[in-house]
Structures are given as structure tokens and as C-alpha cells.
Coordinates of all heavy atoms in Angstrom, one line a residue:
M160 N 0.8 -1.2 0.0 CA 0.0 0.0 0.0 C 0.9 1.3 0.0 O 1.8 1.4 0.8 CB -0.9 0.0 1.3 CG -1.8 1.2 1.3 SD -2.4 1.6 2.9 CE -3.9 0.8 3.0
E161 N 0.6 2.2 -0.9 CA 1.4 3.4 -1.0 C 1.0 4.3 0.2 O -0.2 4.5 0.5 CB 1.0 4.1 -2.3 CG 1.8 5.4 -2.5 CD 1.4 6.1 -3.8 OE1 1.1 5.3 -4.8 OE2 1.4 7.3 -3.9
Q162 N 2.1 4.8 0.8 CA 1.9 5.8 1.9 C 1.6 7.1 1.5 O 2.3 7.6 0.6 CB 3.1 5.8 2.9 CG 2.8 6.4 4.1 CD 4.0 6.3 5.1 OE1 5.0 5.8 4.7 NE2 3.9 6.7 6.3
R163 N 0.6 7.8 2.0 CA 0.2 9.1 1.6 C 0.8 10.1 2.7 O 0.6 9.9 3.8 CB -1.3 9.3 1.4 CG -1.8 8.2 0.5 CD -3.3 8.5 0.1 NE -3.1 9.3 -1.1 CZ -4.1 10.1 -1.5 NH1 -5.3 10.1 -0.9 NH2 -4.0 10.8 -2.5
Y164 N 1.4 11.1 2.2 CA 2.0 12.1 3.0 C 1.2 13.4 2.9 O 0.7 13.8 1.9 CB 3.5 12.4 2.7 CG 4.4 11.2 2.9 CD1 5.1 10.6 1.9 CD2 4.7 10.8 4.2 CE1 5.9 9.6 2.1 CE2 5.5 9.7 4.4 CZ 6.2 9.1 3.4 OH 7.1 8.1 3.6
S165 N 1.3 14.2 4.0 CA 0.8 15.5 4.0 C 1.7 16.4 3.1 O 2.8 16.0 2.8 CB 0.6 16.2 5.4 OG 1.9 16.4 5.9
I166 N 1.3 17.6 2.8 CA 2.1 18.5 2.0 C 3.4 18.8 2.7 O 4.5 18.9 2.1 CB 1.3 19.7 1.5 CG1 2.2 20.6 0.6 CG2 0.9 20.6 2.7 CD1 1.7 20.6 -0.8
L167 N 3.3 19.1 4.0 CA 4.5 19.4 4.8 C 5.5 18.2 4.8 O 6.7 18.4 4.8 CB 4.1 19.8 6.2 CG 3.4 21.1 6.4 CD1 3.0 21.4 7.8 CD2 4.3 22.2 5.8
Q168 N 4.9 17.0 5.0 CA 5.8 15.8 4.9 C 6.5 15.6 3.6 O 7.7 15.3 3.5 CB 5.0 14.5 5.2 CG 4.6 14.4 6.7 CD 3.6 13.2 7.0 OE1 2.8 13.0 6.2 NE2 3.8 12.6 8.0
K169 N 5.7 15.9 2.5 CA 6.3 15.9 1.1 C 7.4 16.9 0.9 O 8.4 16.6 0.3 CB 5.3 16.0 0.1 CG 4.3 14.9 -0.1 CD 3.2 15.1 -1.1 CE 2.4 13.9 -1.3 NZ 1.3 14.1 -2.3
I170 N 7.2 18.0 1.5 CA 8.3 19.0 1.4 C 9.5 18.6 2.2 O 10.6 18.6 1.7 CB 7.8 20.4 1.9 CG1 6.7 21.0 0.9 CG2 8.9 21.4 2.1 CD1 6.0 22.2 1.4
Y171 N 9.3 18.1 3.4 CA 10.3 17.7 4.3 C 11.1 16.5 3.6 O 12.3 16.5 3.7 CB 9.8 17.2 5.7 CG 10.9 16.7 6.6 CD1 11.6 17.5 7.3 CD2 11.1 15.3 6.7 CE1 12.7 17.1 8.1 CE2 12.1 14.8 7.5 CZ 12.8 15.7 8.2 OH 13.9 15.3 9.1
F172 N 10.5 15.5 3.0 CA 11.2 14.4 2.5 C 11.6 14.7 1.1 O 12.2 13.7 0.4 CB 10.2 13.1 2.5 CG 10.0 12.6 3.9 CD1 8.7 12.6 4.4 CD2 11.1 12.1 4.6 CE1 8.5 12.1 5.7 CE2 10.9 11.6 5.9 CZ 9.6 11.6 6.4
G173 N 11.5 15.9 0.6 CA 12.0 16.3 -0.7 C 11.2 15.8 -1.9 O 11.7 15.9 -3.0
E174 N 10.0 15.4 -1.7 CA 9.1 15.0 -2.8 C 8.6 16.3 -3.5 O 8.2 16.2 -4.7 CB 8.0 14.2 -2.3 CG 8.4 12.8 -1.8 CD 7.2 12.1 -1.3 OE1 6.1 12.2 -1.9 OE2 7.4 11.3 -0.3
I175 N 8.6 17.4 -2.8 CA 8.2 18.7 -3.4 C 9.3 19.7 -3.2 O 9.8 19.9 -2.0 CB 6.9 19.2 -2.8 CG1 5.7 18.3 -3.0 CG2 6.6 20.6 -3.3 CD1 4.4 18.7 -2.3
D176 N 9.8 20.3 -4.2 CA 10.8 21.3 -4.1 C 10.1 22.7 -3.9 O 9.6 23.2 -4.9 CB 11.7 21.3 -5.3 CG 12.9 22.3 -5.1 OD1 12.9 23.1 -4.2 OD2 13.8 22.3 -6.0
A177 N 10.0 23.1 -2.6 CA 9.2 24.3 -2.3 C 9.8 25.5 -3.0 O 9.2 26.6 -3.1 CB 9.1 24.5 -0.8
Q178 N 11.1 25.5 -3.4 CA 11.7 26.7 -4.0 C 11.7 26.7 -5.5 O 12.0 27.7 -6.2 CB 13.2 26.9 -3.5 CG 13.2 27.1 -2.0 CD 14.4 27.8 -1.6 OE1 15.2 28.3 -2.3 NE2 14.6 27.8 -0.3
K179 N 11.4 25.5 -6.1 CA 11.4 25.4 -7.6 C 10.0 25.8 -8.1 O 9.0 25.2 -7.7 CB 11.7 24.0 -8.0 CG 11.8 23.9 -9.5 CD 12.2 22.5 -9.9 CE 12.4 22.3 -11.4 NZ 12.6 21.0 -11.8
R180 N 9.9 26.7 -8.9 CA 8.7 27.2 -9.5 C 9.0 27.8 -10.8 O 10.1 28.3 -11.1 CB 7.9 28.1 -8.6 CG 8.7 29.4 -8.4 CD 8.1 30.2 -7.3 NE 8.9 31.4 -6.9 CZ 8.6 32.6 -7.3 NH1 7.4 32.9 -7.9 NH2 9.4 33.6 -7.0
E181 N 8.1 27.7 -11.7 CA 8.2 28.3 -13.0 C 7.1 29.4 -13.2 O 5.9 29.1 -13.1 CB 8.1 27.2 -14.1 CG 8.3 27.7 -15.4 CD 8.3 26.5 -16.5 OE1 8.0 25.4 -16.1 OE2 8.5 26.8 -17.7
I182 N 7.5 30.6 -13.5 CA 6.5 31.7 -13.7 C 6.2 31.7 -15.2 O 7.1 31.9 -16.0 CB 7.1 33.0 -13.2 CG1 7.5 32.9 -11.7 CG2 6.1 34.1 -13.4 CD1 8.3 34.1 -11.2
L183 N 4.9 31.5 -15.5 CA 4.5 31.5 -16.9 C 3.6 32.7 -17.3 O 3.0 32.7 -18.3 CB 3.8 30.2 -17.2 CG 4.6 29.0 -17.0 CD1 3.8 27.7 -17.1 CD2 5.8 28.9 -17.9
L184 N 3.5 33.7 -16.4 CA 2.7 34.8 -16.7 C 3.3 35.6 -17.9 O 4.4 35.9 -18.0 CB 2.6 35.8 -15.5 CG 2.0 35.3 -14.2 CD1 2.2 36.2 -13.1 CD2 0.6 35.0 -14.4
P185 N 2.3 35.8 -18.9 CA 2.9 36.5 -20.1 C 3.7 37.8 -19.8 O 4.7 38.1 -20.4 CB 1.6 36.8 -20.9 CG 0.7 35.7 -20.4 CD 1.0 35.5 -19.0
K186 N 3.1 38.6 -18.9 CA 3.8 39.9 -18.5 C 5.1 39.6 -18.0 O 6.1 40.4 -18.3 CB 2.9 40.7 -17.6 CG 3.4 42.1 -17.3 CD 2.5 42.9 -16.5 CE 3.1 44.4 -16.4 NZ 2.1 45.2 -15.8
Y187 N 5.3 38.6 -17.1 CA 6.6 38.3 -16.5 C 7.6 37.8 -17.7 O 8.7 38.3 -17.7 CB 6.5 37.2 -15.5 CG 7.8 36.6 -15.0 CD1 8.4 37.3 -14.0 CD2 8.4 35.6 -15.6 CE1 9.7 36.9 -13.5 CE2 9.6 35.1 -15.1 CZ 10.3 35.8 -14.1 OH 11.5 35.3 -13.7
L188 N 7.1 37.0 -18.5 CA 8.0 36.5 -19.6 C 8.4 37.6 -20.5 O 9.6 37.7 -20.9 CB 7.3 35.4 -20.4 CG 6.9 34.1 -19.6 CD1 6.1 33.2 -20.4 CD2 8.2 33.5 -19.1
Q189 N 7.5 38.6 -20.8 CA 7.9 39.7 -21.7 C 9.0 40.6 -21.0 O 9.9 41.0 -21.6 CB 6.6 40.5 -22.0 CG 5.7 39.9 -22.9 CD 4.4 40.6 -23.0 OE1 4.1 41.6 -22.3 NE2 3.5 40.2 -23.9
C190 N 8.7 40.8 -19.7 CA 9.7 41.6 -18.9 C 11.0 41.0 -18.8 O 12.0 41.6 -18.9 CB 9.1 41.9 -17.5 SG 10.1 43.1 -16.5
K191 N 11.0 39.7 -18.6 CA 12.2 38.9 -18.6 C 13.0 39.0 -19.8 O 14.3 39.2 -19.8 CB 11.9 37.4 -18.2 CG 13.2 36.5 -18.0 CD 12.7 35.1 -17.7 CE 13.9 34.2 -17.7 NZ 13.6 32.8 -17.5
E192 N 12.4 38.8 -21.0 CA 13.0 39.0 -22.3 C 13.6 40.4 -22.5 O 14.7 40.6 -22.9 CB 12.0 38.6 -23.4 CG 11.8 37.2 -23.6 CD 10.8 36.9 -24.7 OE1 10.8 37.7 -25.7 OE2 10.1 35.9 -24.7
K193 N 12.8 41.3 -22.1 CA 13.2 42.8 -22.2 C 14.4 43.1 -21.4 O 15.4 43.7 -21.8 CB 12.0 43.7 -21.9 CG 12.3 45.2 -22.2 CD 11.0 46.0 -21.9 CE 11.3 47.4 -22.1 NZ 10.1 48.2 -21.8
A194 N 14.4 42.6 -20.1 CA 15.5 42.8 -19.2 C 16.8 42.1 -19.7 O 17.8 42.7 -19.6 CB 15.1 42.3 -17.8
S195 N 16.6 40.9 -20.2 CA 17.8 40.2 -20.8 C 18.4 40.9 -21.9 O 19.6 41.1 -22.1 CB 17.4 38.8 -21.1 OG 18.5 38.1 -21.6
A196 N 17.6 41.4 -22.8 CA 18.1 42.1 -24.0 C 18.8 43.4 -23.5 O 19.8 43.7 -24.1 CB 16.9 42.4 -25.0
A197 N 18.1 44.1 -22.6 CA 18.7 45.4 -22.2 C 20.1 45.1 -21.5 O 21.0 45.9 -21.6 CB 17.8 46.1 -21.2
Y198 N 20.2 44.1 -20.7 CA 21.4 43.7 -20.0 C 22.5 43.5 -21.0 O 23.6 44.0 -20.9 CB 21.2 42.5 -19.2 CG 22.4 41.9 -18.5 CD1 23.0 42.5 -17.3 CD2 23.1 40.9 -19.0 CE1 24.1 42.0 -16.8 CE2 24.3 40.4 -18.4 CZ 24.7 40.9 -17.3 OH 25.9 40.4 -16.7
H199 N 22.3 42.7 -22.0 CA 23.3 42.3 -23.0 C 23.6 43.6 -23.9 O 24.8 43.8 -24.2 CB 22.8 41.1 -23.9 CG 22.8 39.9 -23.1 ND1 23.9 39.3 -22.6 CD2 21.7 39.1 -22.7 CE1 23.6 38.2 -21.9 NE2 22.3 38.1 -22.0
C200 N 22.6 44.4 -24.2 CA 22.9 45.6 -25.0 C 23.8 46.5 -24.2 O 24.7 47.1 -24.7 CB 21.6 46.3 -25.3 SG 21.7 47.7 -26.4
F201 N 23.5 46.7 -22.9 CA 24.3 47.5 -22.0 C 25.8 47.1 -21.9 O 26.6 47.8 -22.0 CB 23.7 47.7 -20.6 CG 24.4 48.5 -19.7 CD1 24.3 49.9 -19.8 CD2 25.2 48.0 -18.7 CE1 25.1 50.7 -19.0 CE2 25.9 48.8 -17.8 CZ 25.9 50.1 -18.0
L202 N 25.9 45.7 -21.8 CA 27.2 45.2 -21.7 C 28.1 45.5 -23.0 O 29.3 45.7 -22.8 CB 27.2 43.6 -21.5 CG 27.1 43.2 -20.1 CD1 27.1 41.7 -20.0 CD2 28.1 43.7 -19.1
K203 N 27.5 45.4 -24.1 CA 28.2 45.7 -25.4 C 28.6 47.2 -25.4 O 29.7 47.4 -26.0 CB 27.2 45.4 -26.5 CG 27.0 44.0 -26.8 CD 26.0 43.8 -28.0 CE 25.7 42.4 -28.2 NZ 24.7 42.2 -29.3
K204 N 28.0 48.0 -24.7 CA 28.4 49.4 -24.7 C 29.5 49.8 -23.8 O 30.2 50.7 -24.0 CB 27.2 50.3 -24.3 CG 26.1 50.3 -25.3 CD 24.9 51.1 -24.8 CE 23.7 51.1 -25.7 NZ 22.5 51.9 -25.2
L205 N 29.8 48.9 -22.8 CA 30.8 49.1 -21.8 C 32.2 48.8 -22.4 O 32.4 47.9 -23.2 CB 30.6 48.3 -20.6 CG 29.5 48.6 -19.6 CD1 29.4 47.6 -18.5 CD2 29.7 50.0 -19.1
P206 N 33.1 49.7 -22.0 CA 34.5 49.3 -22.4 C 34.9 48.0 -21.7 O 34.4 47.7 -20.6 CB 35.3 50.5 -21.8 CG 34.4 51.5 -21.3 CD 33.0 50.9 -21.3
E207 N 35.8 47.3 -22.3 CA 36.2 46.0 -21.8 C 36.6 45.9 -20.4 O 36.3 45.0 -19.7 CB 37.3 45.4 -22.7 CG 37.3 44.0 -23.2 CD 36.0 43.3 -23.4 OE1 35.3 43.7 -24.3 OE2 35.8 42.4 -22.6
E208 N 37.3 47.0 -19.9 CA 37.8 47.0 -18.5 C 36.7 47.2 -17.5 O 36.9 46.9 -16.3 CB 38.9 48.1 -18.4 CG 38.4 49.5 -18.6 CD 38.6 50.0 -20.1 OE1 38.9 49.2 -20.9 OE2 38.3 51.1 -20.3
L209 N 35.5 47.7 -17.9 CA 34.4 47.8 -17.0 C 33.4 46.7 -17.0 O 32.6 46.5 -16.0 CB 33.6 49.1 -17.3 CG 34.3 50.5 -17.0 CD1 33.5 51.6 -17.4 CD2 34.7 50.5 -15.5
K210 N 33.4 45.8 -18.0 CA 32.5 44.7 -18.1 C 32.6 43.8 -16.9 O 31.6 43.5 -16.3 CB 32.7 44.0 -19.4 CG 32.2 44.6 -20.6 CD 32.3 43.8 -21.8 CE 31.8 44.6 -23.1 NZ 31.9 43.8 -24.3
K211 N 33.8 43.3 -16.6 CA 34.0 42.4 -15.5 C 33.5 43.0 -14.2 O 32.8 42.4 -13.3 CB 35.4 42.0 -15.4 CG 35.6 40.9 -14.3 CD 37.0 40.4 -14.4 CE 37.3 39.6 -13.1 NZ 37.5 38.3 -13.2
E212 N 33.9 44.3 -14.0 CA 33.5 45.0 -12.7 C 32.0 45.1 -12.6 O 31.4 44.9 -11.6 CB 34.2 46.4 -12.7 CG 33.9 47.1 -11.4 CD 34.6 48.4 -11.4 OE1 35.5 48.7 -12.2 OE2 34.2 49.3 -10.5
Y213 N 31.4 45.5 -13.7 CA 29.9 45.6 -13.7 C 29.2 44.2 -13.5 O 28.3 44.2 -12.7 CB 29.4 46.1 -15.1 CG 27.9 46.1 -15.2 CD1 27.1 47.1 -14.5 CD2 27.2 45.1 -15.9 CE1 25.7 47.0 -14.5 CE2 25.8 45.1 -15.9 CZ 25.1 46.0 -15.2 OH 23.7 46.0 -15.3
E214 N 29.7 43.2 -14.1 CA 29.2 41.8 -13.9 C 29.3 41.4 -12.4 O 28.4 40.8 -11.8 CB 29.8 40.8 -14.8 CG 29.3 41.0 -16.3 CD 29.9 40.0 -17.2 OE1 31.0 39.5 -17.0 OE2 29.3 39.8 -18.3
E215 N 30.4 41.7 -11.8 CA 30.6 41.4 -10.3 C 29.6 42.2 -9.5 O 29.0 41.5 -8.6 CB 32.0 41.8 -9.9 CG 33.1 40.8 -10.5 CD 34.5 41.3 -10.2 OE1 34.7 42.4 -9.6 OE2 35.4 40.5 -10.6
V216 N 29.4 43.4 -9.8 CA 28.4 44.2 -9.0 C 27.0 43.6 -9.3 O 26.2 43.5 -8.3 CB 28.4 45.7 -9.4 CG1 27.2 46.5 -8.7 CG2 29.7 46.3 -8.9
F217 N 26.7 43.3 -10.5 CA 25.4 42.8 -10.8 C 25.1 41.4 -10.1 O 24.1 41.2 -9.6 CB 25.3 42.6 -12.3 CG 23.9 42.2 -12.8 CD1 22.9 43.1 -13.0 CD2 23.7 40.8 -13.2 CE1 21.6 42.7 -13.4 CE2 22.4 40.4 -13.6 CZ 21.4 41.4 -13.7
D218 N 26.2 40.6 -10.1 CA 26.1 39.3 -9.4 C 25.9 39.4 -8.0 O 25.1 38.6 -7.3 CB 27.4 38.5 -9.7 CG 27.5 37.9 -11.2 OD1 26.5 38.0 -11.8 OD2 28.6 37.5 -11.5
L219 N 26.5 40.5 -7.3 CA 26.2 40.7 -5.9 C 24.8 41.1 -5.7 O 24.1 40.6 -4.7 CB 27.2 41.8 -5.4 CG 28.6 41.4 -5.2 CD1 29.4 42.7 -4.9 CD2 28.7 40.4 -4.1
Y220 N 24.2 42.0 -6.5 CA 22.8 42.3 -6.4 C 21.9 41.1 -6.6 O 20.9 40.9 -5.9 CB 22.4 43.4 -7.4 CG 22.7 44.8 -6.8 CD1 23.8 45.5 -7.1 CD2 21.8 45.3 -5.8 CE1 24.0 46.8 -6.6 CE2 22.1 46.6 -5.2 CZ 23.2 47.3 -5.6 OH 23.4 48.5 -5.1
M221 N 22.2 40.2 -7.6 CA 21.4 39.0 -7.8 C 21.5 38.1 -6.6 O 20.5 37.5 -6.2 CB 21.9 38.3 -9.1 CG 21.6 39.1 -10.3 SD 19.8 39.6 -10.5 CE 19.0 38.0 -10.6
E222 N 22.7 38.0 -6.0 CA 22.8 37.1 -4.8 C 21.9 37.7 -3.6 O 21.3 36.9 -3.0 CB 24.3 37.1 -4.4 CG 24.5 36.1 -3.2 CD 26.0 36.1 -2.8 OE1 26.8 36.5 -3.6 OE2 26.3 35.5 -1.7
L223 N 22.0 39.0 -3.5 CA 21.1 39.6 -2.5 C 19.6 39.3 -2.8 O 18.9 39.0 -1.8 CB 21.4 41.1 -2.5 CG 20.7 42.0 -1.4 CD1 21.1 41.6 0.0 CD2 21.0 43.5 -1.7
F224 N 19.2 39.5 -4.0 CA 17.8 39.2 -4.3 C 17.5 37.7 -4.0 O 16.4 37.5 -3.4 CB 17.7 39.4 -5.8 CG 16.3 39.0 -6.4 CD1 15.2 39.8 -6.2 CD2 16.2 37.8 -7.1 CE1 14.0 39.4 -6.6 CE2 14.9 37.4 -7.6 CZ 13.8 38.2 -7.3
F225 N 18.3 36.8 -4.4 CA 18.0 35.3 -4.1 C 18.1 35.1 -2.6 O 17.4 34.1 -2.2 CB 18.9 34.5 -4.9 CG 18.5 34.4 -6.3 CD1 19.4 34.9 -7.3 CD2 17.3 33.9 -6.7 CE1 19.0 34.9 -8.7 CE2 16.9 33.9 -8.1 CZ 17.8 34.3 -9.0
L226 N 18.9 35.7 -1.8 CA 18.9 35.6 -0.4 C 17.6 36.1 0.3 O 17.2 35.6 1.3 CB 20.1 36.2 0.2 CG 21.4 35.5 -0.1 CD1 22.6 36.4 0.5 CD2 21.5 34.1 0.5
D227 N 17.0 37.1 -0.4 CA 15.7 37.7 0.2 C 14.5 36.8 -0.1 O 13.6 36.8 0.6 CB 15.6 39.1 -0.5 CG 14.3 39.8 0.1 OD1 14.2 39.9 1.3 OD2 13.5 40.3 -0.7
N228 N 14.6 36.0 -1.2 CA 13.4 35.2 -1.6 C 12.9 34.3 -0.5 O 11.7 34.2 -0.3 CB 13.7 34.4 -2.9 CG 13.4 35.2 -4.1 OD1 12.8 36.2 -4.1 ND2 13.8 34.7 -5.3
P229 N 13.8 33.5 0.1 CA 13.3 32.6 1.2 C 12.6 33.3 2.3 O 11.5 32.8 2.7 CB 14.5 31.9 1.7 CG 15.5 32.0 0.6 CD 15.2 33.3 -0.1
Q230 N 13.0 34.5 2.7 CA 12.4 35.2 3.8 C 11.0 35.8 3.3 O 10.1 35.8 4.1 CB 13.2 36.4 4.2 CG 12.7 37.0 5.5 CD 12.6 36.1 6.7 OE1 13.5 35.4 7.0 NE2 11.4 36.1 7.3
T231 N 11.0 36.2 2.0 CA 9.7 36.6 1.5 C 8.7 35.5 1.5 O 7.5 35.7 1.8 CB 9.9 37.2 0.0 OG1 10.9 38.3 0.1 CG2 8.6 37.7 -0.6
F232 N 9.1 34.3 1.1 CA 8.2 33.2 1.1 C 7.7 32.8 2.5 O 6.6 32.6 2.7 CB 9.0 31.9 0.5 CG 8.2 30.7 0.6 CD1 7.2 30.3 -0.2 CD2 8.5 29.7 1.7 CE1 6.5 29.2 -0.1 CE2 7.8 28.6 1.8 CZ 6.7 28.4 0.9
I233 N 8.7 32.8 3.4 CA 8.3 32.6 4.8 C 7.3 33.6 5.4 O 6.4 33.2 6.0 CB 9.6 32.5 5.7 CG1 10.4 31.2 5.3 CG2 9.3 32.4 7.1 CD1 11.8 31.2 5.8
D234 N 7.6 34.8 5.1 CA 6.7 35.9 5.6 C 5.3 35.7 5.0 O 4.3 35.9 5.7 CB 7.3 37.3 5.3 CG 8.5 37.6 6.1 OD1 8.8 36.9 7.0 OD2 9.2 38.5 5.7
G235 N 5.2 35.5 3.7 CA 4.0 35.3 3.0 C 3.2 34.1 3.5 O 2.0 34.2 3.8
F236 N 3.9 33.0 3.7 CA 3.3 31.8 4.2 C 2.8 32.0 5.7 O 1.6 31.6 6.0 CB 4.3 30.6 4.2 CG 3.7 29.3 4.6 CD1 3.1 28.5 3.6 CD2 3.7 28.8 5.9 CE1 2.5 27.3 4.0 CE2 3.2 27.6 6.3 CZ 2.6 26.8 5.3
S237 N 3.6 32.7 6.5 CA 3.2 32.9 7.9 C 1.9 33.8 7.9 O 1.0 33.6 8.7 CB 4.3 33.6 8.6 OG 5.4 32.8 8.7
M238 N 1.9 34.8 7.0 CA 0.7 35.7 6.9 C -0.5 34.9 6.5 O -1.6 35.1 7.1 CB 0.9 36.9 6.0 CG -0.2 37.9 6.0 SD 0.1 39.2 4.8 CE 1.6 39.9 5.3
G239 N -0.4 34.0 5.6 CA -1.5 33.1 5.1 C -2.0 32.3 6.3 O -3.2 32.1 6.4
V240 N -1.1 31.7 7.1 CA -1.5 30.8 8.2 C -2.2 31.7 9.2 O -3.2 31.2 9.8 CB -0.3 30.2 8.8 CG1 -0.6 29.4 10.1 CG2 0.3 29.1 7.8
K241 N -1.7 32.9 9.5 CA -2.4 33.8 10.5 C -3.8 34.1 10.0 O -4.7 34.2 10.8 CB -1.5 35.0 10.7 CG -0.3 34.7 11.5 CD 0.6 36.0 11.5 CE 2.0 35.6 12.2 NZ 2.8 36.8 12.2
M242 N -4.0 34.4 8.7 CA -5.3 34.7 8.1 C -6.2 33.5 8.3 O -7.4 33.7 8.7 CB -5.2 35.1 6.7 CG -4.6 36.4 6.5 SD -4.7 37.0 4.7 CE -4.0 35.7 3.8
M243 N -5.8 32.3 8.0 CA -6.6 31.1 8.2 C -7.0 30.9 9.6 O -8.1 30.6 9.9 CB -5.8 29.9 7.6 CG -5.7 29.9 6.1 SD -7.2 30.0 5.3 CE -8.0 28.5 5.8
A244 N -6.0 31.2 10.5 CA -6.3 31.0 12.0 C -7.4 32.0 12.4 O -8.3 31.6 13.2 CB -5.0 31.2 12.8
E245 N -7.3 33.2 11.9 CA -8.3 34.2 12.2 C -9.7 33.8 11.7 O -10.6 34.0 12.4 CB -7.8 35.5 11.7 CG -8.7 36.7 12.1 CD -8.2 38.1 11.5 OE1 -7.0 38.3 11.8 OE2 -8.9 38.7 10.8
V246 N -9.7 33.3 10.5 CA -11.0 32.9 9.9 C -11.6 31.8 10.7 O -12.7 31.8 11.0 CB -10.8 32.5 8.4 CG1 -12.0 31.8 7.9 CG2 -10.5 33.8 7.6
L247 N -10.8 30.8 11.0 CA -11.3 29.6 11.8 C -11.7 30.0 13.1 O -12.7 29.5 13.7 CB -10.2 28.5 11.8 CG -9.9 27.8 10.5 CD1 -8.7 26.9 10.7 CD2 -11.1 27.1 9.9
K248 N -11.0 31.0 13.8 CA -11.3 31.4 15.1 C -12.7 32.2 15.1 O -13.5 32.0 16.0 CB -10.3 32.4 15.6 CG -10.5 32.9 17.0 CD -9.3 33.8 17.4 CE -9.5 34.3 18.8 NZ -8.4 35.3 19.2
Q249 N -13.0 32.9 14.0 CA -14.3 33.6 13.9 C -15.5 32.7 13.5 O -16.6 33.0 13.7 CB -14.2 34.7 12.9 CG -13.2 35.8 13.3 CD -13.0 36.8 12.2 OE1 -13.6 36.7 11.1 NE2 -12.2 37.8 12.5
S250 N -15.2 31.5 13.0 CA -16.3 30.6 12.6 C -16.9 30.0 13.8 O -16.4 29.6 14.8 CB -15.7 29.4 11.7 OG -15.1 30.0 10.6

């Protein structure tokens, strides 16, 4: 018999990657393409000696962004749980 797990158990045991997601919103995809094109266009304009420096700064900002994502997820999830608790309390 196949054992059925709760969503939290599936996340814990690695059956669900809570951080892996694919954004398919048309507006997001358009913005992503535009940002990528602008990034590469900008790099072409930079003198060779500034390209590496710019990429290092950009990489630091991207690292900061990705470090912020887990906290944003946790805060959003916590707020959702608090809303559910409030709704259940009022019922």
C-alpha cells in the first residue's frame, strides 16, 4: 500500500521542491526577455575594462535578491497561516 503524506511531509522528504517554480505569466515572460536584451545591450556598450566589474556588481545584487526570496516566502506563508487561523477562530 502506498503511503500518503501531507504536503509538509512531502516538502520535508524532498518530494516537493518548495523553492522550484516556473513563472509563466505573459507579462513576466515579456519583462524577462526585455531585461535580458537590455542587459546584453548595455554590456556591449561598456569598455572591456568595466565589463567584469559591472558583472561582479550585478552578481552581488542578484545574490542579495536570491537571499531575500526565502524570507519573502516565509513571511507570506506565515501571513497566510495567520489569516486562516483568524478565519477559523471567527467561525
Side-chain angles (χ1 to χ4, degrees):
M160 180 201 267
E161 182 181 325
Q162 190 172 10
R163 305 191 89 198
Y164 293 117
S165 72
I166 185 110
L167 291 175
Q168 288 171 319
K169 287 181 180 181
I170 292 170
Y171 178 81
F172 289 117
E174 293 179 35
I175 297 174
D176 184 351
Q178 296 205 12
K179 184 178 180 183
R180 63 194 173 105
E181 187 176 0
I182 302 172
L183 298 174
L184 296 171
K186 187 171 183 173
Y187 173 84
L188 296 173
Q189 290 170 352
C190 186
K191 182 180 174 183
E192 284 181 27
K193 188 175 179 181
S195 180
Y198 174 80
H199 291 293
C200 184
F201 180 74
L202 275 183
K203 287 179 185 177
K204 294 176 184 177
L205 286 177
E207 222 32 65
E208 63 272 5
L209 288 179
K210 284 183 182 181
K211 184 176 170 111
E212 186 177 344
Y213 174 76
E214 287 179 338
E215 288 172 359
V216 171
F217 186 80
D218 288 346
L219 285 171
Y220 273 103
M221 291 307 295
E222 184 177 348
L223 183 63
F224 173 77
F225 285 113
L226 289 172
D227 184 51
N228 271 351
Q230 188 61 48
T231 301
F232 171 81
I233 291 166
D234 292 346
F236 185 86
S237 296
M238 186 182 302
V240 169
K241 289 174 185 174
M242 287 189 307
M243 291 302 299
E245 185 178 307
V246 168
L247 292 172
K248 186 179 176 182
Q249 292 176 359
S250 298

